Amino acid sequence: MTTLFWIIAMILVLGTLAYLRVSLLTTTIAAAVVMTAGWALDIVGPISWIVFLVIALPFNISAFRQNMISRPLMKVYRGIMPEMSTTEKEAIEAGTTWWEADLFAGNPNWKKLHNYPVARLSADEQAFLDGPVEEVCRMVNQHQVSHQLADLPADVWQYLKDHGFFAMIIKKKFGGLEYSAYAQSRVLQKLAGLSSELASTVGVPNSLGPGELLQHYGTPEQQNHYLPRLAKGLEVPCFALTSPEAGSDAGSIPDFGIVCKGQWEGEEILGMKLTWNKRYITLAPVATVLGLAFKLRDPDHLLGDKEELGITCALIPTDMDGVETGRRHFPLNCMFQNGPTHGNEVFVPLSFIIGGPKMAGQGWRMLVECLSVGRGITLPSNSAGGVKTAALATGAYARIRRQFKLPIGKLEGIEEPMARIGGNAYLMDAVTTLTTTGIDLGEKPSVISAIVKYHLTDRMQRCVIDAMDIHGGKGVCLGPNNYLGRGYQAAPIAITVEGANILTRSMIIYGQGAIRCHPYVLAEMESAFDTQSGQGLANFDAAIFGHIGFATSNFVRSFWLGVTSSRFSNAPYSDKTKRYYQQMNRFSANLALLSDLAMATLGGNLKRKERISARLGDLLSQLYLASATLKRYEDEGRQTDDLPLVQWAVEDALYKLQASLDDLLDNFPAGLGGVLRVVMFPFGRPLKRPSDVLDHKVAKIMQTPCESRDRLGKGQFWTNSEHNAVGIQEQTLLDIIASEPLHDKVCKASGKRLPFMWLDKVAAEGKALGVLSDTEVQLLERAEIGRMKSINVDDFDPAELRPEMVSTTAQERAA
């Protein structure tokens, strides 16, 4: 029995040390202490000591360990893991890691998360939102844009230029606004809630485009020439990356430039002939300056010994001879300017390269670094803004629209999709806020930007489908009063652009995350193939043994957190959010363990096992989404009225995480899934999807004017103006709620139960009975007008719907 207790003690000591991630030397000393106790109890004999020393000493003597253990392991590692290509290496090194690395490490530091600064707008940024952004929203008639003009009106274009909408990222010294990433996000959210064309037009120049690239890499001459002109709207930029043959695989672009001598302004200079054929380029039809990505070649070695210089970025004025701006694309009835651009052997000076000739071949790094920022702002913000507006608009409509003598929002079948819209609106706003906080702290979060691009555009599309289902014919019939239909049509565009979602999920999120976020893998890869510094073996030894300890710790953590359902793990609060933090501790350890086992069993083949990578990426992604939600709850003062929104969002994210984990274990390589399931889910899957009760609470918030509802739709365009159907409906919601007790008063006075319709007739009867004041009569009459406007749909003269009518209007406007 004493021996059994001693064995248990040794296991507990080693397990605890592994859980706490103490050093190898400390672990060895602790094990020696337990061995000494066993010696004193006559349990451990000389042979046991010899075995212990034979194992312990080599691992703790670095010179011996490096030469006898790490050197052979490094040879095996080189055989399993292929050396990274230059393109892969540049992509991996381009961005930075931030909070996602903590989530990947198996032991999130929640204090660190909550210590990140609370995102706030400056006085100038708030004034811009309240002034020019509000005004341009008033100016836009979305039906006119999408059906009549096939473009933003000329006065809107001019207003955007005059008020610096294209200059939010440009520094003040060049005449720009120099707004924070958070402010840019809030602007785009507000615009997107009204018009995807408006948000896209503003978003692109402030995302991946010439302005961003010039500020980071441009020569002083390029910056001083272009940035003030971009800031004033004298130049309209676009950036041409995508080709018919190279969409998501941007690194394989066929467009090329040849270094050569040619004539420029009457002189022979060293330049390059550019040939390109680009598609799907936003703002290309109206751009005055074209950012161009191409592969630069130097066959005559005019710049040096290297013939293939690599991807390069240049700025090309679109009025140059040979630059051909194609006709417009027609992306799913979304009328933002988008089209092709071509050029055949267009000769330009080398000074047209962004950053000058020294940046030839550096374009891929430039693009990846800038894309990690822009991709983290524009599409996620547009998606969040669209869903926030849809959430409140759907809540208002569900409260106004009645069927079966009830507001449809009280029907359980309607509550379910409503909860998905409301919960996602809260989560998506939280995610954009946390992500832009990181960017404003100086991060270039390539992994996070891929996460938020994929998951927020995906959730946006699903929420718009839910909103369409709730609105029925109101959403289907297009017209000035339809605030959903065009967004529904346009949703797949966000899914497709800036890295198609299928590719982003299956390759990019985990492909970059596994290397960048893991505390040891990148160091192992770099040191294993380091033949120059003389430190390759020592660095590999430190990385590989750190990795072994890390994996051991995560196995112990996964087992212990599974057995205890993580109830004893760290959480920063003891309120209703406590269990969420604890469950995330568990899943973080699971992610870290599964990543190591997947890499160990598949090696370099892991990147070809896209469904394994996708599910591992899901784990990291959902942890990020859930943690952003908890961060928002903390930053907004832990408003308990918002708890249903917080709970729905976190429970949905963690349930999705659990589903991906379950699928991963079912398909885990080397037959390890069954064993790992026992370790991670010893008592079965612990989580359930959000409950019906929670759905009801979220749906109720969406339909009831209150502070929680205000926070859910904060910053969107709710003004009751001529062309804002959502703003008009918001006023109707207030009128309908105020009318209900008046309706009851008339019913009581008349002695009959009147239907809640024809409120103008109810008003007349109430006035005749003497139970309503003139003000109350006016309220009921106004409520009836708003009610009918909300539930009716638009109709048109057949001639207005003919394509030639749209064509004629566009031609007249162009003339």
Side-chain angles (χ1 to χ4, degrees):
M1 186 61 71
T2 304
T3 301
L4 178 61
F5 284 144
W6 180 85
I7 293 172
I8 292 173
M10 177 64 86
I11 292 172
L12 289 174
V13 168
L14 295 179
T16 301
L17 294 174
Y19 184 94
L20 297 174
R21 299 182 175 176
V22 302
S23 67
L24 174 61
L25 179 60
T26 302
T27 301
T28 303
I29 293 171
V33 171
V34 179
M35 289 288 292
T36 302
W39 176 272
L41 295 171
D42 202 25
I43 297 171
V44 175
I47 294 177
S48 298
W49 270 110
I50 291 171
V51 172
F52 173 77
L53 293 172
V54 166
I55 295 173
L57 289 177
F59 281 97
N60 283 278
I61 300 173
S62 59
F64 181 89
R65 185 182 68 226
Q66 288 179 22
N67 288 288
M68 301 306 295
I69 302 174
S70 295
R71 191 180 296 277
L73 284 175
M74 188 160 68
K75 292 180 180 179
V76 173
Y77 188 94
R78 287 173 176 168
I80 296 174
M81 298 292 290
E83 188 171 5
M84 282 190 293
S85 68
T86 301
T87 301
E88 289 176 316
K89 188 175 177 63
E90 288 180 350
I92 291 296
E93 292 177 349
T96 61
T97 57
W98 189 52
W99 172 241
E100 76 276 26
D102 283 69
L103 295 170
F104 200 99
N107 187 23
N109 183 343
W110 301 116
K111 183 177 180 180
K112 177 179 178 180
L113 172 68
H114 291 309
N115 281 341
Y116 289 133
V118 178
R120 300 190 190 282
L121 296 171
S122 70
D124 285 347
E125 292 167 344
Q126 187 64 61
F128 187 72
L129 276 162
D130 295 339
V133 179
E134 180 80 8
E135 181 58 29
V136 82
C137 287
R138 288 176 184 269
M139 295 171 66
V140 170
N141 177 343
Q142 180 58 27
H143 179 69
Q144 180 191 51
V145 170
S146 59
H147 182 68
Q148 296 170 341
L149 298 181
D151 192 5
L152 295 172
D155 61 333
V156 171
W157 272 103
Q158 194 59 49
Y159 191 89
L160 294 174
K161 295 175 181 179
D162 291 344
H163 289 81
F165 279 82
F166 299 154
M168 290 191 290
I169 63 167
I170 296 176
K171 296 184 183 301
K172 291 181 179 178
K173 67 178 181 179
F174 296 113
L177 300 178
E178 198 173 348
Y179 284 167
S180 64
Y182 176 65
Q184 294 173 49
S185 174
R186 307 312 289 190
V187 170
L188 292 175
Q189 285 188 38
K190 189 165 185 173
L191 299 179
L194 175 71
S195 167
S196 58
E197 289 87 352
L198 186 58
S200 298
T201 300
V202 172
V204 168
N206 291 290
S207 179
L208 177 60
E212 179 80 1
L213 293 169
L214 279 169
Q215 291 202 128
H216 284 87
Y217 309 104
T219 64
E221 293 78 13
Q222 291 170 340
Q223 291 176 341
N224 291 328
H225 174 73
Y226 278 113
L227 290 176
R229 293 179 61 79
L230 289 168
K232 294 175 183 177
L234 300 176
E235 303 278 7
V236 176
C238 72
F239 193 85
L241 175 61
T242 305
S243 302
E245 297 85 359
S248 296
D249 183 14
S252 65
I253 56 175
D255 314 284
F256 63 92
I258 303 294
V259 178
C260 61
K261 292 183 179 180
Q263 290 294 315
W264 181 259
E265 297 180 349
E267 297 182 14
E268 184 179 70
I269 64 167
L270 188 60
M272 48 192 176
K273 284 185 179 179
L274 304 177
T275 298
W276 72 90
N277 179 28
K278 302 288 191 179
R279 289 289 188 274
Y280 323 122
I281 310 305
T282 299
L283 297 187
V286 295
T288 61
V289 59
L290 169 70
L292 183 68
F294 56 93
K295 289 183 176 176
L296 186 60
R297 303 167 187 162
D298 185 13
D300 297 328
H301 303 287
L302 298 174
L303 295 180
D305 296 334
K306 197 173 180 181
E307 186 168 324
E308 297 291 336
L309 298 178
I311 295 176
T312 302
C313 297
L315 287 178
I316 313 295
T318 58
D319 60 359
M320 282 185 58
D321 290 341
V323 178
E324 299 177 20
T325 299
R327 300 187 300 173
R328 287 179 63 177
H329 297 314
F330 189 26
L332 291 174
N333 275 334
C334 189
M335 298 300 180
F336 63 95
Q337 292 284 346
N338 186 273
T341 173
H342 322 272
N344 183 37
E345 295 191 347
V346 177
F347 182 79
V348 299
L350 288 175
S351 61
F352 278 28
I353 296 173
I354 297 176
K358 70 178 186 300
M359 296 302 289
Q362 299 300 308
W364 183 242
R365 179 185 294 274
M366 294 160 60
L367 290 171
V368 173
E369 285 186 347
C370 288
L371 183 61
S372 69
V373 174
R375 188 166 54 180
I377 300 174
T378 305
L379 285 175
S381 299
N382 290 355
S383 299
V387 173
K388 285 168 64 178
T389 294
L392 268 62
T394 302
Y397 179 79
R399 187 68 178 77
I400 295 166
R401 176 68 167 161
R402 291 187 174 227
Q403 295 284 273
F404 311 108
K405 299 181 180 180
L406 284 172
I408 63 171
K410 293 188 176 182
L411 303 174
E412 287 193 353
I414 300 293
E415 286 183 343
E416 182 180 0
M418 281 188 69
R420 288 196 293 265
I421 300 169
N424 276 303
Y426 187 91
L427 176 144
M428 293 167 72
D429 200 1
V431 170
T432 58
T433 299
L434 180 60
T435 302
T436 53
T437 295
I439 294 171
D440 285 329
L441 290 173
E443 302 292 340
K444 296 180 179 179
S446 56
V447 177
I448 287 178
S449 69
I451 289 172
V452 298
K453 189 276 171 183
Y454 166 66
H455 284 278
L456 268 61
T457 57
D458 179 71
R459 285 173 181 251
M460 174 272 296
Q461 185 182 44
R462 295 172 192 271
C463 287
V464 172
I465 292 171
D466 279 334
M468 288 289 288
D469 287 348
I470 293 168
H471 283 75
K474 173 75 172 180
V476 169
C477 294
L478 295 174
N481 289 312
N482 186 329
Y483 44 76
L484 282 178
R486 293 300 186 182
Y488 172 78
Q489 290 178 319
I493 300 171
I495 301 295
T496 301
V497 300
E498 289 191 18
N501 274 10
I502 291 175
L503 170 88
T504 302
R505 176 176 179 257
S506 60
M507 296 178 66
I508 295 177
I509 293 174
Y510 189 75
Q512 290 187 329
I515 297 174
R516 290 307 312 271
C517 296
H518 197 289
Y520 299 104
V521 166
L522 184 58
E524 288 170 350
M525 296 179 72
E526 291 176 338
S527 58
F529 296 97
D530 179 8
T531 59
Q532 304 295 325
S533 70
Q535 292 295 312
L537 178 59
N539 293 337
F540 181 81
D541 173 77
I544 197 70
F545 277 92
H547 194 158
I548 292 169
F550 179 72
T552 302
S553 173
N554 286 313
F555 177 84
V556 172
R557 291 180 64 82
S558 291
F559 176 75
W560 174 249
L561 295 173
V563 168
T564 62
S565 192
S566 64
R567 289 189 178 277
F568 303 109
S569 66
N570 172 60
Y573 297 98
S574 298
D575 59 10
K576 291 184 178 181
T577 65
K578 178 179 180 179
R579 289 294 293 144
Y580 300 144
Y581 290 102
Q582 292 177 328
Q583 288 157 351
M584 292 167 71
N585 290 335
R586 175 182 186 173
F587 288 129
S588 177
N590 294 166
L591 168 61
L593 175 62
L594 290 168
S595 294
D596 282 332
L597 291 175
M599 287 185 277
T601 53
L602 293 171
N605 289 324
L606 177 57
K607 65 182 178 181
R608 286 181 283 276
K609 292 291 185 179
E610 294 173 15
R611 298 184 75 175
I612 299 292
S613 292
R615 290 162 183 147
L616 287 165
D618 288 344
L619 270 61
L620 178 60
S621 299
Q622 300 297 350
L623 284 170
Y624 182 74
L625 303 185
S627 63
T629 303
L630 293 170
K631 167 69 169 165
R632 174 181 179 177
Y633 183 56
E634 166 71 9
D635 288 351
E636 292 183 349
R638 309 189 72 79
Q639 304 287 337
T640 55
D641 289 345
D642 295 354
L643 261 177
L645 297 165
V646 178
Q647 292 172 307
W648 195 99
V650 176
E651 289 177 19
D652 177 70
L654 295 185
Y655 183 79
K656 286 182 167 68
L657 184 156
Q658 179 180 259
S660 289
L661 177 52
D662 194 40
D663 289 341
L664 178 60
L665 295 177
D666 283 342
N667 296 276
F668 206 79
L672 292 174
V675 176
L676 292 169
R677 188 179 296 279
V678 173
V679 172
M680 296 177 182
F681 293 149
F683 306 113
R685 291 178 295 179
L687 303 181
K688 297 180 181 179
R689 67 175 73 247
S691 68
D692 294 352
V693 172
L694 199 51
D695 282 356
H696 170 75
K697 291 179 180 178
V698 173
K700 185 176 180 180
I701 289 173
M702 293 168 65
Q703 298 173 74
T704 308
C706 60
E707 291 184 0
S708 288
R709 188 176 187 271
D710 291 344
R711 283 189 287 271
L712 188 63
K714 182 180 179 181
Q716 298 306 105
F717 181 54
W718 304 119
T719 302
N720 181 2
S721 59
E722 180 183 1
H723 303 305
N724 187 17
V726 171
I728 294 169
Q729 185 170 262
E730 279 293 293
Q731 181 59 53
T732 299
L733 172 65
L734 299 176
D735 290 344
I736 289 293
I737 292 173
S739 295
E740 288 175 346
L742 303 181
H743 176 269
D744 292 340
K745 186 191 294 187
V746 175
C747 290
K748 184 176 180 180
S750 65
K752 52 188 176 183
R753 188 63 189 171
L754 302 171
F756 196 83
M757 59 179 67
W758 307 310
L759 298 180
D760 52 341
K761 296 180 180 179
V762 173
E765 185 164 353
K767 184 174 182 179
L769 292 170
V771 296
L772 294 181
S773 67
D774 289 344
T775 301
E776 291 171 331
V777 168
Q778 292 170 6
L779 172 60
L780 282 169
E781 290 173 343
R782 186 174 71 242
E784 178 62 15
I785 294 171
R787 187 183 74 86
M788 294 306 297
K789 191 175 183 67
S790 181
I791 67 176
N792 274 336
V793 299
D794 297 292
D795 53 74
F796 302 90
D797 185 298
E800 293 182 76
L801 301 179
R802 293 194 198 119
E804 59 264 29
M805 289 296 293
V806 177
S807 176
T808 300
T809 303
Q811 291 172 5
E812 290 173 351
R813 179 172 171 273

